[in-house]
């Protein structure tokens, strides 16, 4: 059974996720950001075949990595300033409160699979950069180029447009007119937070929440991040509480949008805590978005929330 959120039209493109539930019962539940229906269906098939909530999240997100959902998940998308595609992913077990994540992962296609290995085979939470790649290789993942002709063309066009847009400020040469390399301008200004005007569809992270029929909850994310980001940048997706969060005793949430802003508010953790205190999923989601917009009025993002009974909302 599919259910949709009754949201203002301006928000529908960002949060039109897919939810599946079994008959008249609200559990099991599969819920994800954006209409990545093949990912949702794969997670559901995993549950039907006896898999765990963690298995469902991993398999569902892996579909988007292979299909390069919207060009913002998986290989061949969102090149950084140097033209390289890197990946972020996270998976969280809400039963054990355990997490595995990778950030700025290079030359490994199955980021969510590597995150699962971090969870299962280390006592760490997050591995990043070349060290994450070395770990992945030790776990049997293949080292391969993540660039494609499409991502190379994106990068070439960006260079031809004087590196616009970019994410530098208070540097010389003027980043609104020229490419780098940059250095500090020597002028530091205080004031309100500055927002970059960027394409909202450059943030189409898949965030997934799965509640097993037994009540066990898992959540996860996968993305190739932000187009033309500064190399080494990691957004909200691999950070527990920011990109996603799960707790069997309260519920789960996942976020999508500007990862740099989302990181500053831990919206997924906050939404779960609101549900723990008795808020319904819709209220919990709304409260975290409104809190962000108090500081960043033009923020465009979304959160999906589900409580332990399987009730859910997308805001």
């Amino acid at each position: 059974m599919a259910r949709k959120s009754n949201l203002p039209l301006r928000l529908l493109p960002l949060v039109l996720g897919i939810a599946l539930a079994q008959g008249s019962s609200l559990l099991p539940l599969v819920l994800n950001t954006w209409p990545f229906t093949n990912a949702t269906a794969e997670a559901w098939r995993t549950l039907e075949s006896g898999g765990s909530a963690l298995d469902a999240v991993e398999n569902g997100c892996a579909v988007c990595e292979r299909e390069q959902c919207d060009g913002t998940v998986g290989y061949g998308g969102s090149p950084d300033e140097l033209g390289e595609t890197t990946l972020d992913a996270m998976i969280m077990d809400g039963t054990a409160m355990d997490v595995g994540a990778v950030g700025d992962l290079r030359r490994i296609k199955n980021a969510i699979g590597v995150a699962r290995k971090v969870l299962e085979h280390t006592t760490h939470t997050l591995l990043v950069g070349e060290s994450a790649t070395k770990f992945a290789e030790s776990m049997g993942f293949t080292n391969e180029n993540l660039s494609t002709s499409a991502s190379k063309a994106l990068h070439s066009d960006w260079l031809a447009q004087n590196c616009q847009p970019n994410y530098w400020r208070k540097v010389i040469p003027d980043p609104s007119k020229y490419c780098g390399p940059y250095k500090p301008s020597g002028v530091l200004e205080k004031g309100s937070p500055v927002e970059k005007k960027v394409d909202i569809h450059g943030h189409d992270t898949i965030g997934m929440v799965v509640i097993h029929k037994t009540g066990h909850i898992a959540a996860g994310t996968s993305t190739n991040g932000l187009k033309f980001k500064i190399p080494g940048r990691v957004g909200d997706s691999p950070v527990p509480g920011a990109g996603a969060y799960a707790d069997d005793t309260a519920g789960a949430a996942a976020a999508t949008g500007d990862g740099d802003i989302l990181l500053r508010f831990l919206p997924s953790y906050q939404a779960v805590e609101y549900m723990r205190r008795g808020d319904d999923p819709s209220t919990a989601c709304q409260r975290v978005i409104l809190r962000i917009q108090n500081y960043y009025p033009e923020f465009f993002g979304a959160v999906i929330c589900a409580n332990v009974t399987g009730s859910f909302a997308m805001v």
Side-chain angles (χ1 to χ4, degrees):
M1 176 177 66
R3 297 178 284 177
K4 295 180 181 178
S5 178
N6 184 21
L7 294 170
L9 184 60
R10 70 182 184 86
L11 287 180
L12 281 176
L14 190 61
V15 298
L16 186 56
I18 301 296
L20 292 177
Q22 180 66 53
S24 60
S25 172
L26 296 180
L27 297 180
L29 175 74
V30 174
L31 174 67
N32 57 266
T33 56
W34 301 94
F36 300 146
T37 56
N38 290 342
T40 319
E42 181 61 30
W44 187 256
R45 281 192 292 270
T46 299
L47 293 178
E48 286 189 318
S49 64
S52 67
L54 279 172
D55 295 334
V57 169
E58 180 184 1
N59 292 346
C61 289
V63 166
C64 257
E65 292 176 347
R66 292 192 296 271
E67 295 185 353
Q68 303 167 278
C69 288
D70 272 7
T72 60
V73 182
Y75 69 99
S78 301
D80 64 17
E81 285 190 341
L82 300 179
E84 184 176 9
T85 295
T86 61
L87 307 179
D88 300 336
M90 184 264 283
I91 190 166
M92 182 166 185
D93 178 354
T95 303
M97 300 306 291
D98 200 1
V99 180
V102 289
D104 193 34
L105 179 68
R106 300 156 186 257
R107 303 184 304 281
I108 304 290
K109 286 185 176 180
N110 183 202
I112 190 70
V114 180
R116 180 78 181 269
K117 296 298 185 184
V118 174
L119 183 152
E120 292 181 336
H121 297 292
T122 81
T123 58
H124 298 316
T125 295
L126 173 63
L127 300 180
V128 299
E130 289 292 345
S131 296
T133 299
K134 290 179 181 178
F135 169 80
E137 290 173 327
S138 75
M139 292 289 105
F141 292 87
T142 302
N143 187 318
E144 51 193 321
N145 192 347
L146 300 187
S147 296
T148 62
S149 57
S151 66
K152 291 176 182 177
L154 278 173
H155 186 248
S156 295
D157 290 344
W158 179 75
L159 290 174
Q161 295 167 12
N162 295 320
C163 303
Q164 303 301 313
N166 62 64
Y167 300 91
W168 293 86
R169 61 183 178 181
K170 302 172 187 174
V171 295
I172 52 176
D174 184 347
S176 69
K177 298 177 180 178
Y178 305 105
C179 295
Y182 304 104
K183 62 182 180 179
S185 64
V187 178
L188 296 178
E189 300 174 356
K190 294 183 179 180
S192 301
V194 177
E195 292 184 68
K196 272 281 187 181
K197 298 296 183 181
V198 295
D199 179 6
I200 62 168
H201 297 290
H203 302 284
D204 303 3
T205 302
I206 182 170
M208 180 174 284
V209 168
V210 173
I211 307 180
H212 194 272
K213 63 183 179 182
T214 61
H216 295 320
I217 305 177
T221 64
S222 185
T223 184
N224 54 35
L226 195 61
K227 289 185 182 72
F228 318 125
K229 57 186 174 284
I230 298 170
R233 179 262 191 189
V234 172
D236 66 305
S237 297
V239 178
Y245 197 75
D247 185 337
D248 282 9
T249 66
T256 185
D258 186 322
D260 291 297
I261 292 177
L262 290 169
L263 261 175
R264 301 163 194 171
F265 294 88
L266 299 179
S268 297
Y269 170 79
Q270 191 62 61
V272 172
E273 289 306 302
Y274 284 143
M275 290 188 287
R276 185 192 308 282
R277 298 171 192 171
D279 282 356
D280 61 80
S282 179
T283 301
C285 282
Q286 290 172 3
R287 289 181 71 181
V288 297
I289 293 295
L290 288 174
R291 180 167 178 258
I292 295 171
Q293 290 177 335
N294 283 338
Y295 292 87
Y296 296 90
E298 300 301 315
F299 172 76
F300 200 90
V303 180
I304 58 173
C305 304
N307 65 18
V308 294
T309 69
S311 296
F312 68 89
M314 314 171 195
V315 175

